[in-house]
Amino acid sequence: MSNFKEGKVSSVTVDARRSLGQLDRNVFGGFVEHLGRCIYGGMFEEGSPLSNAEGFRTDVLELLRPLRMGVLRWPGGNFVSNYHWADGIGPREDRPRRVELAWGAEEPNRFGTDEFLAYCAELGVTPYICLNMGTGSLEEALAWVEYCNSTAHSYWADRRRQYGHEAPYGVPYWGLGNEMYGEWQIGQLTAEEYVKEAKRWALAIRRLDPQAKLVSCGQTGWEDWDRVVIDGMARLVDFHSVHLYTGSADYWTNVLSPHQAERAIQYTSAWIAHAVYSQRLPQTPRIAYDEWNVWYRTMDSTLEERYSFADAIAVATYLNIFVRHCRWVTMANLAQMVNAIAPIVTTKEGVFVQPIYYPFLMHARSALDEAVDAHVIAPTVEAPVPAAGDRWHEHRIADLGPFPVLDAAATVNTARTKVAVTIVNRSTEEARGVEVLLRGLAFSGDARVSTLTAGTHRPAPDIEGAKVEERSEPTKDDRIVVDLPASSFTVIETATAAAK
């Protein structure tokens, strides 16, 4: 049960003078894995009347484009720890079919490196490839980097040319393995073993491609694994990855659990700062939240989660958190994008979106260049104690509370002529009027207000509805008053001018 503490009238004070950091568009990133119907039958379906000549589902592309993803991670995930990338290049009819050990499937290798990079080009996103540190070798990893990025007339670069790609792809981001700490991973390592091996890989990859941006394999951000890996790898990498999934059938546990991401950021950033200071490093690695989502219902080999509107509230909160902590979090990848724990669901005949699609869309289209301070005053709620049967009951967040029922973030453009405020109303009991106050600037003209609420229309029998309504609201000098429906997500966008 929630425990509300009534206080003053709800308000969000946005201080444009208090910068929280530059917001990297890679915070609105995605992740696709060879898992269930994410790739095959999802984003890629050869022979479908809904696909283009390359086999890409055009209806899926049309839904992904508005998300304006900065980066797309592939091919895993657990899948990558038994994936040999050279199986997936060359003529498709010549590619071998392999047993896939992570999810108990068969991999036809019809969608490989060239297809992935063509897909990224189609979407206008930056590719991020995760390397196989399970059954893979350093030699194999170097060959993959060479194939993608080398300008030399060498074996693997010439293979790329042979298959129709004269110019190098210039893949910037390379992950040094995926979840190598986990017993579910092919080739599990201890943290010390991982550091020893990852150092070899990082040094060799940088010799081949000095411009490569490397991502060390992190856990939750607060585990000993993270501390050991950061201490050992901070000198050699650009990012430390963090993975976090939350979710619960209990409403308040579900919508408040994303705040565990703030604990992860606090721990991870402290360990990075310690390594940078104690080792006198010239560069500071950042955090790549390269897997995150609500996921707790489906644990089979397809992971076709069906999302509720409460999950959309949680996703909106995650993105608020990443915006507020953009000084440290410079990449975040929603896991995943199509069918498997995804905002987009396909059938043979068409495509649908789940409620979690909308907060990602609204955040991505409204976010501006720089995050600024947004201080919330609202009634508060205590976090429930997670039930023992919850999938993620170890995510205890009570010590981070109490939590305002409103959660907010704000961004401004570089010229300070625009502001966007994103507000989650987690209260199920009532609509709330909120006064948004602007410090350091004044509002200029009417504001565009977009509000996401649960919808009564289901796009498909097993998919919950959601609706976005847009309206114009007047502003006065440094304030605007907006009504927030119960269980809603609202974006306020307006022009700004110098304060009077």
Side-chain angles (χ1 to χ4, degrees):
M1 294 292 291
S2 61
N3 178 22
F4 284 101
K5 299 176 182 177
E6 291 297 339
K8 297 179 180 179
V9 174
S10 296
S11 66
V12 177
T13 301
V14 176
D15 193 338
R17 300 163 300 188
R18 297 187 62 185
S19 174
L20 302 180
Q22 294 296 309
L23 179 62
D24 196 312
R25 290 295 310 180
N26 285 347
V27 164
F28 306 109
F31 167 45
V32 290
E33 180 176 1
H34 294 242
L35 162 60
R37 296 192 309 125
C38 181
I39 303 289
Y40 303 108
M43 54 192 283
F44 179 77
E45 190 170 11
E46 294 174 285
S48 168
L50 300 174
S51 298
N52 62 19
E54 295 176 280
F56 303 158
R57 283 278 296 256
T58 56
D59 52 353
V60 173
L61 284 167
E62 289 308 305
L63 287 172
L64 289 175
R65 284 194 182 97
L67 299 181
R68 298 178 58 203
M69 290 184 292
V71 64
L72 187 62
R73 179 175 180 252
W74 171 86
N78 297 345
F79 171 83
V80 76
S81 293
N82 188 49
Y83 176 63
H84 298 284
W85 71 273
D87 289 343
I89 60 173
R92 288 178 186 168
E93 61 272 16
D94 295 339
R95 299 178 189 178
R97 191 175 185 91
R98 301 289 192 191
V99 173
E100 195 281 298
L101 299 180
W103 302 105
E106 293 181 9
E107 173 53 47
N109 284 303
R110 305 285 292 182
F111 186 97
T113 300
D114 293 308
E115 286 79 14
F116 169 66
L117 295 172
Y119 202 87
C120 289
E122 187 78 31
L123 279 177
V125 302
T126 302
Y128 168 14
I129 291 177
C130 187
L131 297 166
N132 175 2
M133 286 192 73
T135 61
S137 66
L138 173 55
E139 181 181 16
E140 184 179 23
L142 289 170
W144 205 352
V145 177
E146 179 187 329
Y147 182 88
C148 292
N149 290 358
S150 179
T151 60
H153 285 280
S154 55
Y155 178 80
W156 288 108
D158 282 344
R159 286 282 293 274
R160 182 193 70 236
R161 295 183 180 97
Q162 176 187 344
Y163 298 143
H165 305 279
E166 175 64 32
Y169 287 112
V171 176
Y173 302 109
W174 297 88
L176 299 173
N178 174 78
E179 296 185 0
M180 298 309 300
Y181 50 84
E183 62 182 12
W184 56 88
Q185 208 67 220
I186 306 300
Q188 179 188 14
L189 300 171
T190 67
E192 291 78 12
E193 290 169 336
Y194 173 80
V195 168
K196 182 177 179 180
E197 187 69 4
K199 278 184 175 179
R200 293 178 58 241
W201 286 44
L203 289 167
I205 290 169
R206 289 214 185 278
R207 285 195 180 190
L208 177 62
D209 182 0
Q211 305 306 313
K213 296 184 182 298
L214 302 180
V215 186
S216 59
C217 172
Q219 193 171 352
T220 60
W222 62 81
E223 306 285 354
D224 280 347
W225 170 282
D226 297 282
R227 176 182 55 79
V228 172
V229 170
I230 289 169
D231 194 53
M233 296 300 299
R235 184 181 300 275
L236 297 171
V237 299
D238 302 277
F239 301 89
H240 181 76
S241 72
V242 173
H243 290 181
L244 181 64
Y245 295 97
T246 60
S248 173
D250 175 75
Y251 175 83
W252 283 106
T253 301
N254 196 16
V255 301
L256 293 176
S257 288
H259 288 285
Q260 188 75 342
E262 295 189 292
R263 186 193 310 281
I265 295 164
Q266 290 165 2
Y267 271 80
T268 307
S269 61
W271 278 326
I272 291 173
H274 177 267
V276 169
Y277 179 78
S278 62
Q279 298 176 35
R280 301 179 181 273
L281 303 183
Q283 302 291 335
T284 300
R286 301 297 171 177
I287 297 170
Y289 238 108
D290 59 16
E291 289 189 31
W292 69 272
N293 203 347
V294 175
W295 167 40
Y296 67 96
R297 299 174 182 87
T298 55
M299 299 299 155
D300 58 19
S301 60
T302 67
L303 304 193
E304 296 215 10
E305 192 101 339
R306 288 296 177 262
Y307 286 105
S308 68
F309 191 77
D311 302 327
I313 295 295
V315 166
T317 304
Y318 265 117
L319 289 166
N320 271 355
I321 290 167
F322 297 150
V323 169
R324 291 197 297 265
H325 293 276
C326 66
R327 195 180 302 278
W328 282 103
V329 180
T330 56
M331 183 191 297
N333 305 75
L334 178 66
Q336 297 183 18
M337 302 312 298
V338 187
N339 288 326
I341 52 171
I344 296 172
V345 176
T346 66
T347 67
K348 291 290 185 182
E349 295 76 30
V351 65
F352 306 97
V353 296
Q354 301 208 69
I356 66 168
Y357 177 85
Y358 295 100
F360 195 108
L361 172 70
M362 294 165 69
H363 260 285
R365 76 180 185 186
S366 65
L368 299 170
D369 305 317
E370 187 176 342
V372 293
D373 188 64
H375 178 68
V376 173
I377 297 176
T380 60
V381 60
E382 300 284 355
V385 176
D390 276 1
R391 167 75 173 175
W392 309 112
H393 66 272
E394 70 274 19
H395 296 336
R396 304 182 306 275
I397 59 168
D399 61 306
L400 302 176
F403 301 93
V405 294
L406 303 183
D407 186 85
T411 58
V412 295
N413 66 341
T414 302
R416 295 295 200 275
T417 57
K418 296 179 183 178
V419 64
V421 186
T422 52
I423 308 175
V424 180
N425 180 13
R426 298 181 280 216
S427 173
T428 61
E429 300 176 8
E430 59 182 2
R432 304 200 69 82
V434 60
E435 184 177 49
V436 178
L437 306 171
L438 188 58
R439 297 291 178 257
L441 293 171
F443 291 115
S444 177
D446 290 349
R448 183 174 74 172
V449 179
S450 306
T451 298
L452 172 68
T453 54
T456 57
H457 171 72
R458 287 180 174 266
D462 62 340
I463 297 177
E464 284 195 17
K467 61 180 180 180
V468 180
E469 295 179 322
E470 295 189 355
R471 64 189 188 276
S472 179
E473 292 282 1
T475 64
K476 184 177 181 181
D477 299 329
D478 63 349
R479 64 195 60 213
I480 178 175
V481 177
V482 177
D483 289 329
L484 307 178
S487 293
S488 64
F489 173 57
T490 297
V491 180
I492 302 167
E493 301 170 86
T494 184
T496 60
K500 293 181 180 178

